[in-house]
Amino acid sequence: HCHVSDFSDYYSQLAIQGPQALAVLKKLTGIDLERCKNDVSGGGQVCGLHNVLISRTGYTGEDGFEIYIPSDEATSTRVWNEILEAGREFDILPCGLGARNTLRLEASMPLYGHEITEETNVFETGLDRFCKLEKPEFLGQAALQKLQQNGGTERKLIGLEMIERGIGRDGYSVCTLDGEEIGKITSGSPAPFLKKNIALAYVPRMHGEIGAELAVKIRGQNVRARVVPQPFYRRLKTQS
Protein backbone atom coordinates (compact mmCIF):
# COMPACT_ATOMS: atom_id res chain seq x y z
CA HIS A 1 0.00 0.00 0.00
CA CYS A 2 1.09 3.58 -0.62
CA HIS A 3 0.03 6.72 1.23
CA VAL A 4 0.46 10.13 -0.39
CA SER A 5 0.62 13.35 1.62
CA ASP A 6 0.62 16.82 0.07
CA PHE A 7 3.10 19.08 1.88
CA SER A 8 3.28 21.73 -0.86
CA ASP A 9 2.06 24.53 1.39
CA TYR A 10 4.95 23.90 3.77
CA TYR A 11 7.62 24.82 1.22
CA SER A 12 8.66 27.73 -0.97
CA GLN A 13 10.76 27.14 -4.06
CA LEU A 14 13.39 29.60 -5.20
CA ALA A 15 15.16 29.05 -8.53
CA ILE A 16 18.62 30.44 -9.27
CA GLN A 17 19.13 30.32 -13.03
CA GLY A 18 21.83 31.45 -15.43
CA PRO A 19 25.55 31.05 -16.22
CA GLN A 20 26.54 32.22 -12.71
CA ALA A 21 23.98 30.13 -10.80
CA LEU A 22 26.64 27.73 -9.56
CA ALA A 23 28.87 30.56 -8.33
CA VAL A 24 25.97 32.23 -6.50
CA LEU A 25 24.73 29.12 -4.70
CA LYS A 26 28.29 28.10 -3.78
CA LYS A 27 28.43 31.16 -1.55
CA LEU A 28 25.38 29.94 0.39
CA THR A 29 26.15 26.26 0.95
CA GLY A 30 28.99 23.88 1.64
CA ILE A 31 27.50 21.18 -0.58
CA ASP A 32 29.61 19.98 -3.52
CA LEU A 33 27.27 21.36 -6.17
CA GLU A 34 29.38 20.12 -9.07
CA ARG A 35 28.34 16.60 -8.12
CA CYS A 36 24.67 17.51 -8.36
CA LYS A 37 23.90 16.50 -11.92
CA ASN A 38 21.01 17.68 -14.06
CA ASP A 39 17.58 16.35 -12.99
CA VAL A 40 18.99 14.88 -9.76
CA SER A 41 17.87 16.16 -6.38
CA GLY A 42 19.52 15.94 -2.98
CA GLY A 43 19.44 17.47 0.49
CA GLY A 44 21.83 19.68 2.41
CA GLN A 45 22.41 22.91 4.30
CA VAL A 46 21.67 26.21 2.54
CA CYS A 47 21.64 29.67 4.14
CA GLY A 48 22.01 28.00 7.54
CA LEU A 49 18.90 25.86 7.01
CA HIS A 50 19.28 22.10 7.41
CA ASN A 51 17.86 19.38 5.14
CA VAL A 52 17.08 21.77 2.30
CA LEU A 53 16.08 19.99 -0.91
CA ILE A 54 18.29 21.07 -3.82
CA SER A 55 17.60 20.19 -7.44
CA ARG A 56 19.18 21.04 -10.79
CA THR A 57 16.16 20.74 -13.01
CA GLY A 58 15.60 24.30 -14.25
CA TYR A 59 13.55 24.66 -17.42
CA THR A 60 15.11 27.81 -18.83
CA GLY A 61 17.81 26.60 -21.22
CA GLU A 62 20.39 27.72 -18.66
CA ASP A 63 22.22 25.97 -15.88
CA GLY A 64 20.58 26.50 -12.53
CA PHE A 65 19.40 25.19 -9.19
CA GLU A 66 16.18 25.14 -7.21
CA ILE A 67 16.02 25.14 -3.43
CA TYR A 68 12.98 24.20 -1.36
CA ILE A 69 12.79 26.03 1.96
CA PRO A 70 10.21 26.43 4.77
CA SER A 71 7.37 28.62 3.51
CA ASP A 72 6.99 30.90 6.52
CA GLU A 73 7.39 34.54 5.56
CA ALA A 74 10.39 35.26 7.79
CA THR A 75 12.45 32.35 6.41
CA SER A 76 11.47 32.95 2.80
CA THR A 77 12.28 36.65 3.04
CA ARG A 78 15.66 36.03 4.68
CA VAL A 79 16.76 33.45 2.10
CA TRP A 80 15.50 35.62 -0.77
CA ASN A 81 17.58 38.55 0.48
CA GLU A 82 20.66 36.38 1.02
CA ILE A 83 20.44 35.05 -2.54
CA LEU A 84 20.18 38.57 -3.96
CA GLU A 85 23.14 39.67 -1.86
CA ALA A 86 25.22 36.66 -2.92
CA GLY A 87 24.47 37.39 -6.56
CA ARG A 88 25.05 41.12 -6.39
CA GLU A 89 28.56 40.84 -7.87
CA PHE A 90 27.07 38.94 -10.82
CA ASP A 91 24.29 41.51 -11.39
CA ILE A 92 21.59 39.06 -10.30
CA LEU A 93 18.01 40.16 -10.97
CA PRO A 94 14.67 38.79 -9.69
CA CYS A 95 12.27 37.58 -12.36
CA GLY A 96 8.86 35.93 -12.57
CA LEU A 97 7.30 33.08 -14.51
CA GLY A 98 6.72 35.28 -17.56
CA ALA A 99 10.45 35.86 -17.93
CA ARG A 100 11.20 32.18 -17.38
CA ASN A 101 8.65 31.33 -20.04
CA THR A 102 10.48 33.40 -22.66
CA LEU A 103 13.75 31.65 -21.73
CA ARG A 104 12.36 28.13 -22.18
CA LEU A 105 10.72 29.24 -25.45
CA GLU A 106 14.04 30.49 -26.84
CA ALA A 107 15.49 27.09 -25.98
CA SER A 108 12.47 25.38 -27.63
CA MET A 109 11.56 23.49 -24.48
CA PRO A 110 7.96 22.20 -24.74
CA LEU A 111 5.69 23.04 -21.81
CA TYR A 112 2.68 21.14 -20.54
CA GLY A 113 -0.50 22.99 -21.39
CA HIS A 114 1.15 24.49 -24.46
CA GLU A 115 3.12 22.08 -26.67
CA ILE A 116 2.25 19.07 -24.52
CA THR A 117 -1.42 18.27 -23.90
CA GLU A 118 -3.71 15.26 -23.71
CA GLU A 119 -4.21 15.65 -27.47
CA THR A 120 -0.51 15.50 -28.44
CA ASN A 121 1.89 12.59 -28.66
CA VAL A 122 5.65 12.13 -28.38
CA PHE A 123 6.25 11.85 -32.13
CA GLU A 124 4.73 15.15 -33.21
CA THR A 125 6.27 16.95 -30.24
CA GLY A 126 9.72 15.52 -31.00
CA LEU A 127 9.99 13.79 -27.61
CA ASP A 128 9.99 10.20 -28.85
CA ARG A 129 13.63 9.80 -27.73
CA PHE A 130 12.28 9.69 -24.17
CA CYS A 131 9.73 6.97 -24.91
CA LYS A 132 11.11 3.41 -24.86
CA LEU A 133 8.55 1.44 -26.82
CA GLU A 134 10.48 -1.80 -26.32
CA LYS A 135 9.78 -1.75 -22.59
CA PRO A 136 7.25 -4.16 -21.05
CA GLU A 137 3.61 -3.22 -21.56
CA PHE A 138 2.62 0.25 -20.40
CA LEU A 139 -0.42 2.50 -20.77
CA GLY A 140 -0.59 3.87 -24.30
CA GLN A 141 2.09 1.58 -25.71
CA ALA A 142 -0.11 -0.07 -28.34
CA ALA A 143 -1.39 3.28 -29.65
CA LEU A 144 2.14 4.67 -29.89
CA GLN A 145 3.43 1.57 -31.65
CA LYS A 146 0.63 1.87 -34.18
CA LEU A 147 1.55 5.51 -34.81
CA GLN A 148 5.19 4.55 -35.24
CA GLN A 149 4.33 1.80 -37.73
CA ASN A 150 2.30 4.30 -39.74
CA GLY A 151 5.25 6.67 -39.99
CA GLY A 152 4.59 8.85 -36.98
CA THR A 153 2.03 11.64 -37.33
CA GLU A 154 0.74 13.99 -39.99
CA ARG A 155 1.72 17.14 -38.11
CA LYS A 156 4.89 18.41 -36.42
CA LEU A 157 6.02 21.07 -33.98
CA ILE A 158 7.89 23.86 -35.75
CA GLY A 159 9.72 27.03 -34.84
CA LEU A 160 8.49 30.29 -36.37
CA GLU A 161 10.25 33.62 -36.69
CA MET A 162 8.14 36.60 -37.62
CA ILE A 163 9.29 38.31 -40.82
CA GLU A 164 6.86 41.19 -40.65
CA ARG A 165 6.02 43.27 -37.61
CA GLY A 166 3.77 41.41 -35.20
CA ILE A 167 3.83 38.97 -32.29
CA GLY A 168 2.36 35.50 -32.72
CA ARG A 169 0.68 34.73 -29.40
CA ASP A 170 -0.59 31.44 -27.98
CA GLY A 171 -3.68 30.24 -29.85
CA TYR A 172 -3.19 32.41 -32.94
CA SER A 173 -3.89 30.69 -36.27
CA VAL A 174 -1.05 29.70 -38.61
CA CYS A 175 -1.95 29.92 -42.30
CA THR A 176 -0.46 29.41 -45.73
CA LEU A 177 0.38 32.60 -47.60
CA ASP A 178 -2.93 32.33 -49.46
CA GLY A 179 -4.85 32.34 -46.17
CA GLU A 180 -5.65 28.67 -45.57
CA GLU A 181 -5.58 27.90 -41.83
CA ILE A 182 -3.27 24.93 -41.16
CA GLY A 183 -2.38 25.11 -37.47
CA LYS A 184 -2.17 26.95 -34.16
CA ILE A 185 0.60 28.63 -32.21
CA THR A 186 1.24 26.90 -28.88
CA SER A 187 3.75 29.44 -27.48
CA GLY A 188 4.68 32.84 -28.83
CA SER A 189 6.59 35.83 -27.52
CA PRO A 190 9.27 38.41 -28.21
CA ALA A 191 12.69 36.80 -27.63
CA PRO A 192 14.77 39.00 -25.27
CA PHE A 193 18.16 37.67 -26.38
CA LEU A 194 17.41 37.37 -30.09
CA LYS A 195 15.49 40.66 -30.33
CA LYS A 196 12.99 38.89 -32.57
CA ASN A 197 9.41 37.64 -32.31
CA ILE A 198 9.29 33.84 -32.22
CA ALA A 199 6.75 31.06 -31.72
CA LEU A 200 6.21 27.31 -31.62
CA ALA A 201 3.30 25.86 -33.59
CA TYR A 202 1.84 22.62 -34.87
CA VAL A 203 1.38 22.40 -38.65
CA PRO A 204 1.09 19.56 -41.20
CA ARG A 205 4.50 18.06 -41.99
CA MET A 206 4.31 19.18 -45.62
CA HIS A 207 4.36 22.81 -44.39
CA GLY A 208 7.13 22.38 -41.83
CA GLU A 209 10.25 22.53 -43.98
CA ILE A 210 12.99 24.88 -42.72
CA GLY A 211 12.84 28.16 -44.62
CA ALA A 212 9.20 27.79 -45.68
CA GLU A 213 7.14 30.96 -45.42
CA LEU A 214 3.79 30.89 -43.63
CA ALA A 215 1.53 33.50 -42.06
CA VAL A 216 0.17 34.16 -38.58
CA LYS A 217 -3.29 35.71 -38.30
CA ILE A 218 -2.97 38.72 -36.01
CA ARG A 219 -6.03 40.93 -35.50
CA GLY A 220 -7.55 39.66 -38.72
CA GLN A 221 -4.41 40.27 -40.79
CA ASN A 222 -2.01 37.63 -42.14
CA VAL A 223 1.52 38.51 -40.99
CA ARG A 224 4.37 36.68 -42.71
CA ALA A 225 6.62 34.30 -40.76
CA ARG A 226 9.40 31.84 -41.58
CA VAL A 227 9.97 28.27 -40.38
CA VAL A 228 13.33 28.20 -38.57
CA PRO A 229 15.41 25.49 -36.83
CA GLN A 230 15.04 24.79 -33.12
CA PRO A 231 16.20 25.70 -30.58
CA PHE A 232 16.02 29.35 -31.57
CA TYR A 233 18.89 30.13 -29.21
CA ARG A 234 21.20 27.57 -27.62
CA ARG A 235 22.77 28.76 -24.39
CA LEU A 236 26.14 27.67 -23.11
CA LYS A 237 25.78 25.63 -19.95
CA THR A 238 28.29 25.74 -17.11
CA GLN A 239 27.03 22.61 -15.37
CA SER A 240 29.26 19.59 -14.87
Side-chain angles (χ1 to χ4, degrees):
H1 295 282
C2 178
H3 177 74
V4 177
S5 298
D6 183 2
F7 293 112
S8 301
D9 290 342
Y10 293 91
Y11 295 94
S12 295
Q13 185 216 60
L14 295 176
I16 306 169
Q17 301 286 301
Q20 301 299 332
L22 179 65
V24 172
L25 192 54
K26 265 187 172 180
K27 298 169 69 173
L28 303 172
T29 181
I31 300 169
D32 183 2
L33 296 172
E34 285 88 348
R35 298 185 65 180
C36 180
K37 301 299 182 181
N38 202 25
D39 295 334
V40 176
S41 301
Q45 186 174 11
V46 179
C47 294
L49 298 171
H50 296 279
N51 301 316
V52 173
L53 181 65
I54 303 174
S55 60
R56 202 172 190 174
T57 60
Y59 214 63
T60 61
E62 294 278 9
D63 188 21
F65 298 85
E66 302 80 46
I67 60 174
Y68 299 81
I69 60 174
S71 61
D72 64 278
E73 184 175 352
T75 301
S76 297
T77 300
R78 177 176 69 82
V79 174
W80 171 269
N81 289 333
E82 289 187 22
I83 291 173
L84 291 183
E85 182 59 34
R88 185 186 300 275
E89 64 174 295
F90 306 111
D91 297 322
I92 195 171
L93 289 172
C95 72
L97 289 177
R100 295 187 70 184
N101 189 47
T102 62
L103 293 174
R104 70 93 191 166
L105 175 56
E106 285 187 327
S108 298
M109 292 178 165
L111 186 65
Y112 190 79
H114 293 258
E115 291 70 43
I116 306 170
T117 70
E118 293 182 357
E119 285 73 45
T120 59
N121 64 69
V122 294
F123 298 110
E124 58 193 10
T125 312
L127 297 175
D128 49 299
R129 63 188 181 279
F130 298 115
C131 185
K132 309 301 181 184
L133 292 178
E134 69 279 4
K135 280 189 170 185
E137 184 177 354
F138 60 86
L139 187 64
Q141 182 185 44
L144 289 172
Q145 287 175 333
K146 185 176 180 180
L147 280 172
Q148 187 182 52
Q149 291 167 3
N150 293 334
T153 60
E154 296 180 355
R155 66 175 187 167
K156 65 183 292 188
L157 186 66
I158 62 166
L160 284 176
E161 176 183 301
M162 302 302 297
I163 299 175
E164 298 178 323
R165 185 174 180 179
I167 302 172
R169 299 290 188 182
D170 302 18
Y172 283 15
S173 296
V174 179
C175 307
T176 61
L177 293 181
D178 60 10
E180 178 190 359
E181 183 175 331
I182 58 173
K184 295 285 186 181
I185 286 179
T186 55
S187 297
S189 171
F193 283 86
L194 294 175
K195 311 302 181 187
K196 298 177 180 179
N197 296 327
I198 60 174
L200 292 172
Y202 281 111
V203 300
R205 288 188 174 276
M206 62 181 294
H207 294 290
E209 295 296 323
I210 302 298
E213 287 196 14
L214 298 172
V216 177
K217 189 173 291 294
I218 302 176
R219 296 176 182 173
Q221 301 295 318
N222 286 339
V223 181
R224 290 169 57 231
R226 181 187 297 112
V227 181
V228 294
Q230 304 173 53
F232 304 98
Y233 177 71
R234 187 182 297 279
R235 292 179 174 77
L236 296 177
K237 294 198 174 188
T238 58
Q239 67 189 44
S240 304

